[in-house]
Amino acid sequence: MTALPPFLRIDPTSRSVSLDGRDPAFYGDPNRVYAALHEHCPTFYWEEQKQWFFTGYDHVNALLRDRRFGRQILHIASREELGLPEPQPHLANFDLAERYSLLEIEPPEHTRLRTLVNRAFVSRHIERLRPEIAELAETLIDGFEKEGRTELLSSFADIIPVTMIARMIGIPDEIGPQLLKWSHDYVGMYMFKRTREDELAADRSAREFADYVKTLIAERRKAPQEDLLSHMIHTEHKGQYLSDEELVSTTIVLLNAGHEATVHQIGNSVRVILESGLRPADMFRDETATERTVEETLRICAPVHIFQRWALEDVEVDGVSFTRGDKVSLILAAANLDPKKFSDPLVFRPDRQEAANLSFGAGIHFCIGAPLARLELNTVLPILFRRLPCLRMVAMPRVKDVYHFHGLERLDLAW
């Protein structure tokens, strides 16, 4: 039996776990904690979060698809009935921006919104972007190759995903840095133990973000272009068009989800490849090897660790009884390390051919941007290692002080 790290306490009998999610020893290397949870208690009650969590692959995969659970609850019950607090006035702008988020709503609204945007994200449409992604990656490397060193997130990883999703939607490249700031503030709402300052920053950025999107909507109504925003404005579904509020929420979630996780994943992937000691030239020798390598990086160092669900009815899972209105959390990154599904789960094996990773979720809320994220990773990682074959880390990578996202603050490289 593996010894537990000192910051982790597990009681297998009660399935109770004590763990500080803001402890750097945890969020800096969560995989070893997940391994301990799989060994002792894959379904557990996290005392500090006051919630049940699932790490087992089969449970997480099933719950992501289980229609007895949903991303929202107020469509079937009132706050008063569920004992939920009233919305906080200082988060009014954030709540408004989230009201019609694809990540937060359920059918039939989810079906209508997703149908209108899904066509732009299917693989055959996304594949057309490969030359543009490659050109952007090559241009960025041209900008720092002669320096012999770079901080990869700011010079490369931050730029590619936000530029591509912005171009798809119809936002000029020069707005990219502002989009990054708004997005970073926005996702601060999903951190453990967020502060009031985090909340105020998120609300302010949600207001600014929404105001900017509204100006774009007005422009595209007058003069449609060949972009996703124009498509969403002028396309109907069963006789209905998206309202301005739905357009704002959908655009914001596409911008955030379309780049935030991919930024993390580029950094995470480069780190795990360099730490493995394996030859990148072998990992990216052809299209099949590249795809397997990318999927293995997504498995072992996923960028999004937790997805939450509301119980929409009384239900029992793995011996735990939930009542309508209870919230449960699914640790996608831990499911990817389940030893029942993956041999030597903590080992990076780019030729692995086992179960599919759950890093993009599953079910009706499967990440709509997954084809774009996969294309970006499959395109830019081979280019980076081909252009800079002697790439190495020159400092310990600094992990961001956030959980349940997982990514790097800095990745200093030289060649």
Side-chain angles (χ1 to χ4, degrees):
M1 185 172 288
T2 307
L4 298 183
F7 55 85
L8 175 66
R9 180 175 56 77
I10 298 177
D11 182 349
T13 303
S14 65
R15 299 206 279 187
S16 180
V17 169
S18 177
L19 171 64
D20 179 4
R22 295 299 298 272
D23 189 327
F26 167 54
Y27 67 73
D29 183 18
N31 284 5
R32 63 185 183 130
V33 172
Y34 297 155
L37 291 168
H38 280 301
E39 182 175 349
H40 297 281
C41 188
T43 298
F44 66 95
Y45 183 80
W46 192 334
E47 294 176 2
E48 285 80 1
Q49 304 307 320
K50 297 179 172 56
Q51 199 173 114
W52 282 92
F53 284 69
F54 292 85
T55 67
Y57 185 99
D58 287 340
H59 281 127
V60 170
N61 191 29
L63 286 166
L64 286 166
R65 305 166 191 272
D66 193 330
R67 301 304 299 139
R68 297 173 299 175
F69 293 83
R71 284 292 292 168
Q72 67 176 175
I73 187 71
L74 295 178
H75 63 307
I76 62 168
S78 67
R79 289 179 178 274
E80 184 178 26
E81 181 183 350
L82 297 169
L84 297 176
E86 289 301 310
Q88 296 173 287
H90 71 286
L91 291 175
N93 293 295
F94 180 85
D95 290 341
L96 183 61
E98 285 283 278
R99 181 174 297 173
Y100 298 103
S101 167
L102 275 168
L103 292 175
E104 302 297 337
I105 58 176
E106 291 293 303
E109 289 79 7
H110 177 272
T111 306
R112 182 169 67 94
L113 280 173
R114 181 139 183 161
T115 299
L116 281 170
V117 300
N118 197 52
R119 186 172 68 89
F121 286 92
V122 295
S123 297
R124 66 180 180 275
H125 291 295
I126 290 297
E127 180 60 34
R128 300 172 188 168
L129 298 174
R130 187 185 293 270
E132 192 175 346
I133 296 168
E135 181 184 11
L136 179 56
E138 298 275 11
T139 300
L140 291 173
I141 295 170
D142 287 343
F144 58 70
E145 183 179 17
K146 293 177 183 176
E147 301 294 325
R149 61 187 303 130
T150 193
E151 193 291 295
L152 193 73
L153 298 180
S154 58
S155 67
F156 191 77
D158 273 348
I159 300 170
I160 293 171
V162 73
T163 300
M164 294 310 303
I165 190 63
R167 287 178 183 176
M168 285 183 67
I169 290 170
I171 295 174
D173 287 1
E174 58 266 25
I175 304 296
Q178 181 61 67
L179 292 177
L180 282 173
K181 182 187 181 305
W182 284 333
S183 181
H184 291 333
D185 288 344
Y186 202 89
V187 299
M189 285 293 292
Y190 299 101
M191 294 190 302
F192 279 11
K193 295 185 179 178
R194 68 184 188 231
T195 65
R196 187 176 179 87
E197 287 72 26
D198 293 328
E199 293 177 345
L200 291 172
D203 193 71
R204 180 177 61 251
S205 285
R207 185 190 71 244
E208 294 173 0
F209 211 160
D211 288 346
Y212 175 71
V213 173
K214 288 173 188 174
T215 64
L216 284 180
I217 292 170
E219 291 172 5
R220 294 300 190 276
R221 284 197 192 283
K222 294 177 183 176
Q225 298 183 16
E226 290 296 320
D227 56 38
L228 181 53
L229 183 57
S230 298
H231 167 76
M232 291 192 295
I233 291 169
H234 296 282
T235 303
E236 64 173 335
H237 177 65
K238 296 183 178 178
Q240 289 185 302
Y241 292 90
L242 296 184
S243 68
D244 279 11
E245 291 80 8
E246 289 172 328
L247 286 166
V248 168
S249 285
T250 303
T251 302
I252 288 177
V253 77
L254 289 175
L255 281 164
N256 285 340
H259 83 271
E260 191 81 28
T262 311
V263 169
H264 292 335
Q265 193 57 35
I266 292 173
N268 292 349
S269 298
V270 172
R271 177 190 184 177
V272 75
I273 288 168
L274 291 176
E275 287 181 340
S276 73
L278 302 173
R279 280 170 37 88
D282 294 335
M283 298 183 209
F284 301 115
R285 65 184 177 273
D286 55 36
E287 188 174 322
T288 299
T290 296
E291 288 177 357
R292 287 178 183 167
T293 298
V294 167
E295 292 306 306
E296 177 67 349
T297 67
L298 283 163
R299 183 195 70 83
I300 202 166
C301 53
V304 179
H305 281 213
I306 292 178
F307 217 47
Q308 295 183 318
R309 288 286 192 274
W310 294 96
L312 303 181
E313 59 186 75
D314 295 350
V315 60
E316 181 177 309
V317 182
D318 195 21
V320 182
S321 296
F322 299 101
T323 59
R324 186 172 77 154
D326 285 344
K327 215 171 191 180
V328 302
S329 284
L330 318 175
I331 308 186
L332 310 179
N336 289 341
L337 303 175
D338 189 337
K340 295 178 180 177
K341 290 290 180 180
F342 303 98
S343 57
D344 299 319
L346 297 185
V347 177
F348 174 66
R349 293 212 322 249
D351 59 349
R352 187 185 295 272
Q353 297 181 63
E354 294 175 319
N357 69 73
L358 295 177
S359 297
F360 292 111
I364 67 166
H365 287 286
F366 178 80
C367 177
I368 197 169
L372 176 60
R374 284 188 160 114
L375 178 64
E376 289 171 338
L377 292 163
N378 278 277
T379 302
V380 307
L381 291 175
I383 291 172
L384 181 69
F385 283 99
R386 172 179 56 79
R387 290 284 303 272
L388 307 171
C390 298
L391 207 58
R392 68 184 190 280
M393 291 186 289
V394 293
M396 177 65 71
R398 190 192 311 166
V399 178
K400 280 191 172 182
D401 176 17
V402 293
Y403 185 79
H404 52 269
F405 294 98
H406 184 71
L408 302 178
E409 192 77 51
R410 292 186 62 89
L411 183 58
D412 292 288
L413 304 176
W415 49 91

